[in-house]
Coordinates of all heavy atoms in Angstrom, one line a residue:
I95 N 63.7 -48.8 -26.2 CA 63.9 -49.0 -27.6 C 65.3 -49.1 -28.0 O 66.1 -48.4 -27.5 CB 63.2 -47.9 -28.4 CG1 62.8 -48.4 -29.9 CG2 64.0 -46.6 -28.4 CD1 61.9 -47.5 -30.6
G96 N 65.7 -50.1 -28.9 CA 67.0 -50.2 -29.4 C 67.8 -51.4 -28.8 O 67.9 -51.5 -27.6
T97 N 68.6 -52.0 -29.7 CA 69.3 -53.1 -29.2 C 70.6 -52.8 -28.5 O 70.8 -53.1 -27.4 CB 69.8 -54.0 -30.5 OG1 68.6 -54.4 -31.3 CG2 70.6 -55.2 -30.1
A98 N 71.5 -51.9 -29.1 CA 72.7 -51.5 -28.4 C 72.4 -50.7 -27.1 O 73.1 -50.8 -26.2 CB 73.5 -50.6 -29.4
Q99 N 71.2 -50.0 -27.2 CA 70.8 -49.2 -26.0 C 70.5 -50.1 -24.8 O 70.9 -49.7 -23.7 CB 69.7 -48.2 -26.5 CG 70.0 -47.2 -27.5 CD 70.3 -47.8 -28.9 OE1 69.9 -48.9 -29.2 NE2 70.9 -46.9 -29.8
N100 N 69.7 -51.1 -25.1 CA 69.4 -52.0 -24.1 C 70.6 -52.7 -23.5 O 70.7 -53.0 -22.3 CB 68.3 -53.1 -24.6 CG 66.9 -52.5 -24.4 OD1 66.3 -52.7 -23.4 ND2 66.3 -52.0 -25.5
N101 N 71.5 -53.2 -24.4 CA 72.6 -53.9 -23.9 C 73.5 -53.1 -23.1 O 74.1 -53.4 -22.1 CB 73.5 -54.4 -25.2 CG 72.8 -55.6 -25.9 OD1 72.0 -56.3 -25.3 ND2 73.1 -55.8 -27.1
A102 N 73.6 -51.8 -23.3 CA 74.2 -50.8 -22.5 C 73.6 -50.5 -21.1 O 74.3 -50.4 -20.2 CB 74.5 -49.5 -23.2
A103 N 72.3 -50.5 -21.2 CA 71.6 -50.0 -19.9 C 71.3 -51.3 -19.0 O 71.1 -51.0 -17.8 CB 70.3 -49.4 -20.4
M104 N 71.2 -52.5 -19.5 CA 70.7 -53.5 -18.7 C 71.6 -53.7 -17.3 O 71.1 -53.9 -16.3 CB 70.6 -54.8 -19.4 CG 69.3 -54.9 -20.1 SD 68.8 -56.5 -20.8 CE 69.8 -56.5 -22.3
P105 N 72.9 -53.7 -17.5 CA 73.8 -53.9 -16.2 C 73.4 -52.8 -15.2 O 73.4 -53.2 -13.9 CB 75.2 -53.7 -16.8 CG 75.2 -54.0 -18.2 CD 73.8 -53.5 -18.7
V106 N 73.1 -51.6 -15.6 CA 72.7 -50.6 -14.6 C 71.5 -51.0 -13.8 O 71.4 -50.9 -12.6 CB 72.5 -49.2 -15.3 CG1 71.9 -48.2 -14.2 CG2 73.7 -48.7 -15.9
Q107 N 70.5 -51.6 -14.5 CA 69.2 -52.1 -13.9 C 69.4 -53.3 -13.0 O 68.9 -53.3 -11.9 CB 68.2 -52.3 -15.0 CG 67.8 -51.2 -15.9 CD 67.2 -51.6 -17.2 OE1 67.4 -51.1 -18.3 NE2 66.4 -52.7 -17.1
F108 N 70.2 -54.2 -13.6 CA 70.3 -55.5 -12.8 C 71.0 -55.4 -11.5 O 70.7 -56.1 -10.6 CB 71.0 -56.6 -13.8 CG 70.2 -56.9 -15.0 CD1 70.7 -57.6 -16.1 CD2 68.9 -56.5 -15.2 CE1 70.0 -57.9 -17.2 CE2 68.1 -56.8 -16.3 CZ 68.7 -57.5 -17.3
E109 N 71.9 -54.4 -11.5 CA 72.6 -54.1 -10.2 C 71.6 -53.8 -9.2 O 71.9 -54.0 -8.0 CB 73.6 -53.0 -10.5 CG 74.7 -52.9 -9.5 CD 75.7 -51.7 -9.8 OE1 75.9 -51.4 -11.0 OE2 75.9 -50.9 -8.9
K110 N 70.5 -53.1 -9.5 CA 69.5 -52.7 -8.5 C 68.2 -53.6 -8.6 O 67.2 -53.2 -8.1 CB 69.1 -51.2 -8.8 CG 70.3 -50.3 -8.4 CD 70.5 -50.2 -6.9 CE 71.8 -49.5 -6.6 NZ 71.8 -48.0 -6.7
N111 N 68.3 -54.7 -9.2 CA 67.2 -55.7 -9.2 C 66.0 -55.1 -9.9 O 64.9 -55.3 -9.6 CB 66.8 -56.1 -7.8 CG 66.2 -57.5 -7.8 OD1 66.5 -58.3 -8.6 ND2 65.2 -57.7 -6.9
V112 N 66.2 -54.4 -11.0 CA 65.2 -53.7 -11.8 C 65.0 -54.5 -13.1 O 66.0 -54.7 -13.9 CB 65.5 -52.2 -12.2 CG1 64.5 -51.6 -13.2 CG2 65.4 -51.4 -10.8
I113 N 63.8 -55.0 -13.3 CA 63.5 -55.9 -14.5 C 63.6 -55.0 -15.8 O 63.1 -54.0 -15.8 CB 62.0 -56.4 -14.3 CG1 62.0 -57.5 -13.2 CG2 61.5 -57.1 -15.7 CD1 60.6 -57.9 -12.8
N114 N 64.1 -55.7 -16.9 CA 64.0 -55.2 -18.2 C 62.9 -55.7 -18.9 O 62.9 -57.0 -19.3 CB 65.3 -55.4 -19.0 CG 65.5 -54.5 -20.2 OD1 65.3 -53.3 -20.0 ND2 65.8 -55.0 -21.3
F115 N 61.7 -55.0 -18.9 CA 60.5 -55.6 -19.4 C 60.1 -55.3 -20.8 O 59.9 -54.1 -21.2 CB 59.4 -55.0 -18.4 CG 58.1 -55.7 -18.5 CD1 57.9 -57.0 -18.1 CD2 57.0 -55.0 -19.0 CE1 56.6 -57.6 -18.2 CE2 55.7 -55.6 -19.1 CZ 55.5 -56.9 -18.7
L116 N 60.0 -56.3 -21.7 CA 59.6 -56.2 -23.1 C 60.1 -55.0 -23.8 O 59.5 -54.1 -24.3 CB 58.0 -56.2 -23.0 CG 57.2 -57.1 -22.3 CD1 55.8 -57.0 -22.5 CD2 57.7 -58.5 -22.4
P117 N 61.5 -55.0 -24.0 CA 62.1 -53.9 -24.8 C 61.7 -54.0 -26.2 O 61.3 -55.1 -26.7 CB 63.6 -54.3 -24.7 CG 63.7 -55.8 -24.4 CD 62.5 -56.1 -23.5
I118 N 61.7 -52.8 -26.8 CA 61.3 -52.7 -28.3 C 62.5 -52.9 -29.2 O 63.1 -52.0 -29.6 CB 60.6 -51.4 -28.6 CG1 59.3 -51.2 -27.7 CG2 60.1 -51.3 -30.0 CD1 58.6 -49.9 -27.8
T119 N 62.9 -54.2 -29.3 CA 63.9 -54.7 -30.2 C 63.7 -56.2 -30.3 O 63.3 -56.8 -29.4 CB 65.3 -54.4 -29.7 OG1 66.2 -55.4 -30.2 CG2 65.4 -54.5 -28.2
A120 N 64.1 -56.7 -31.5 CA 63.8 -58.1 -31.6 C 65.2 -58.8 -31.7 O 65.4 -59.9 -32.3 CB 63.1 -58.4 -33.0
A121 N 66.1 -58.3 -30.8 CA 67.4 -59.0 -30.8 C 67.4 -60.1 -29.7 O 66.7 -60.1 -28.7 CB 68.5 -58.0 -30.3
R122 N 68.2 -61.2 -30.0 CA 68.2 -62.4 -29.2 C 68.8 -62.0 -27.8 O 68.3 -62.7 -26.8 CB 68.9 -63.5 -29.8 CG 68.3 -64.2 -30.9 CD 69.0 -65.3 -31.5 NE 70.0 -64.9 -32.5 CZ 70.8 -65.6 -33.2 NH1 70.6 -67.0 -33.1 NH2 71.8 -65.2 -34.0
E123 N 69.6 -61.0 -27.7 CA 70.2 -60.7 -26.3 C 69.1 -60.2 -25.3 O 69.4 -60.1 -24.2 CB 71.2 -59.5 -26.5 CG 72.4 -59.9 -27.3 CD 72.4 -59.2 -28.7 OE1 71.2 -59.4 -29.3 OE2 73.3 -58.7 -29.1
M124 N 67.9 -59.9 -25.8 CA 66.9 -59.5 -24.9 C 66.4 -60.6 -24.0 O 65.7 -60.4 -23.0 CB 65.7 -58.8 -25.7 CG 66.1 -57.5 -26.4 SD 67.1 -56.3 -25.5 CE 68.7 -56.4 -26.2
Y125 N 66.7 -61.9 -24.3 CA 66.3 -63.0 -23.5 C 67.5 -64.0 -23.3 O 67.3 -64.9 -22.5 CB 65.0 -63.6 -23.9 CG 65.0 -64.2 -25.3 CD1 65.4 -65.6 -25.4 CD2 64.9 -63.5 -26.4 CE1 65.5 -66.2 -26.6 CE2 65.0 -64.1 -27.7 CZ 65.2 -65.4 -27.8 OH 65.4 -66.0 -29.0
E126 N 68.5 -63.8 -24.1 CA 69.7 -64.7 -24.0 C 70.9 -63.9 -23.7 O 71.1 -62.9 -24.2 CB 69.9 -65.4 -25.3 CG 68.9 -66.5 -25.7 CD 69.2 -67.1 -27.1 OE1 70.0 -66.6 -27.8 OE2 68.5 -68.1 -27.3
P127 N 71.9 -64.3 -22.9 CA 71.7 -65.5 -22.1 C 70.6 -65.3 -21.0 O 70.3 -64.2 -20.7 CB 73.1 -65.7 -21.4 CG 73.7 -64.3 -21.4 CD 73.1 -63.6 -22.7
F128 N 70.2 -66.4 -20.4 CA 69.1 -66.3 -19.5 C 69.4 -65.4 -18.3 O 70.5 -65.4 -17.8 CB 68.6 -67.7 -18.9 CG 67.6 -67.6 -17.8 CD1 66.3 -67.6 -18.1 CD2 68.0 -67.6 -16.5 CE1 65.3 -67.5 -17.2 CE2 67.0 -67.5 -15.5 CZ 65.7 -67.4 -15.8
H129 N 68.5 -64.6 -17.9 CA 68.6 -63.7 -16.7 C 67.2 -63.6 -16.1 O 66.3 -63.3 -16.8 CB 69.2 -62.3 -17.0 CG 69.7 -61.7 -15.8 ND1 68.8 -61.1 -14.8 CD2 70.9 -61.3 -15.3 CE1 69.5 -60.5 -13.8 NE2 70.8 -60.6 -14.2
K130 N 67.1 -63.8 -14.8 CA 65.7 -63.7 -14.2 C 65.0 -62.3 -14.5 O 63.8 -62.2 -14.4 CB 65.7 -64.1 -12.7 CG 66.3 -63.1 -11.8 CD 66.0 -63.4 -10.4 CE 66.6 -62.3 -9.5 NZ 66.0 -62.0 -8.3
L131 N 65.8 -61.3 -14.7 CA 65.2 -60.0 -14.9 C 65.0 -59.5 -16.3 O 64.7 -58.4 -16.6 CB 66.1 -58.9 -14.2 CG 66.4 -59.1 -12.6 CD1 67.4 -58.1 -12.2 CD2 65.0 -58.9 -11.9
K132 N 65.1 -60.5 -17.3 CA 64.9 -60.2 -18.7 C 63.5 -60.8 -19.1 O 63.2 -62.0 -18.9 CB 65.9 -60.9 -19.6 CG 67.3 -60.2 -19.6 CD 68.2 -61.0 -20.6 CE 69.6 -60.5 -20.6 NZ 70.5 -61.2 -21.5
Y133 N 62.7 -60.0 -19.7 CA 61.5 -60.5 -20.4 C 61.3 -59.8 -21.7 O 61.5 -58.6 -21.9 CB 60.2 -60.2 -19.6 CG 60.1 -61.0 -18.4 CD1 60.5 -60.5 -17.1 CD2 59.5 -62.3 -18.4 CE1 60.3 -61.3 -16.0 CE2 59.4 -63.1 -17.3 CZ 59.9 -62.6 -16.1 OH 59.8 -63.4 -15.0
S134 N 61.1 -60.6 -22.8 CA 61.1 -60.1 -24.2 C 59.8 -60.6 -24.9 O 59.2 -61.7 -24.5 CB 62.3 -60.7 -24.9 OG 62.4 -60.1 -26.2
F135 N 59.3 -59.8 -25.8 CA 58.1 -60.2 -26.5 C 58.2 -60.4 -28.0 O 57.4 -60.9 -28.7 CB 57.0 -59.0 -26.3 CG 57.2 -57.8 -27.1 CD1 56.5 -57.6 -28.3 CD2 58.0 -56.8 -26.7 CE1 56.6 -56.5 -29.0 CE2 58.2 -55.6 -27.4 CZ 57.5 -55.5 -28.6
A136 N 59.3 -59.8 -28.6 CA 59.4 -59.8 -30.0 C 60.1 -60.9 -30.7 O 61.2 -61.3 -30.3 CB 60.2 -58.4 -30.4
A137 N 59.4 -61.6 -31.6 CA 60.0 -62.6 -32.4 C 61.3 -62.1 -33.0 O 61.3 -61.0 -33.5 CB 59.0 -63.1 -33.5
T138 N 62.4 -62.8 -32.9 CA 63.7 -62.3 -33.2 C 63.9 -62.0 -34.7 O 63.2 -62.7 -35.5 CB 64.8 -63.2 -32.8 OG1 64.7 -64.4 -33.5 CG2 64.8 -63.4 -31.2
Y139 N 64.6 -61.1 -35.1 CA 65.0 -60.9 -36.5 C 65.4 -62.1 -37.2 O 65.1 -62.4 -38.3 CB 66.0 -59.8 -36.7 CG 65.6 -58.4 -36.1 CD1 66.4 -57.8 -35.2 CD2 64.4 -57.7 -36.5 CE1 66.1 -56.6 -34.6 CE2 64.1 -56.6 -35.9 CZ 64.9 -56.0 -34.9 OH 64.5 -54.7 -34.5
F140 N 66.3 -62.8 -36.4 CA 66.9 -64.1 -36.9 C 65.9 -65.1 -37.3 O 65.8 -65.6 -38.3 CB 67.9 -64.7 -35.8 CG 68.4 -65.9 -36.1 CD1 69.6 -66.1 -36.9 CD2 67.8 -67.2 -35.6 CE1 70.0 -67.4 -37.2 CE2 68.4 -68.4 -35.9 CZ 69.5 -68.5 -36.7
D141 N 64.9 -65.3 -36.3 CA 63.8 -66.3 -36.6 C 62.8 -65.8 -37.6 O 62.3 -66.6 -38.4 CB 63.1 -66.6 -35.3 CG 63.8 -67.7 -34.4 OD1 64.6 -68.4 -35.0 OD2 63.5 -67.7 -33.2
Q142 N 62.6 -64.6 -37.6 CA 61.6 -64.0 -38.6 C 62.1 -64.4 -40.1 O 61.2 -64.9 -40.8 CB 61.5 -62.5 -38.5 CG 60.8 -61.9 -37.3 CD 60.9 -60.4 -37.2 OE1 60.9 -59.7 -38.2 NE2 60.9 -59.9 -35.9
I143 N 63.3 -64.1 -40.3 CA 63.9 -64.3 -41.7 C 64.1 -65.8 -41.9 O 63.8 -66.3 -43.0 CB 65.1 -63.4 -41.9 CG1 64.8 -62.0 -41.7 CG2 65.7 -63.7 -43.3 CD1 63.8 -61.4 -42.7

Side-chain angles (χ1 to χ4, degrees):
I95 202 167
T97 305
Q99 295 70 17
N100 272 276
N101 286 338
M104 279 191 281
V106 174
Q107 296 163 218
F108 295 168
E109 202 183 314
K110 291 288 167 74
N111 206 33
V112 171
I113 292 168
N114 200 48
F115 191 69
L116 312 188
I118 300 177
T119 153
R122 286 181 282 182
E123 299 102 313
M124 298 309 114
Y125 62 95
E126 288 177 352
F128 175 84
H129 193 294
K130 69 169 186 153
L131 298 174
K132 285 182 182 179
Y133 286 97
S134 186
F135 76 98
T138 63
Y139 300 124
F140 176 81
D141 276 338
Q142 290 175 30
I143 300 300

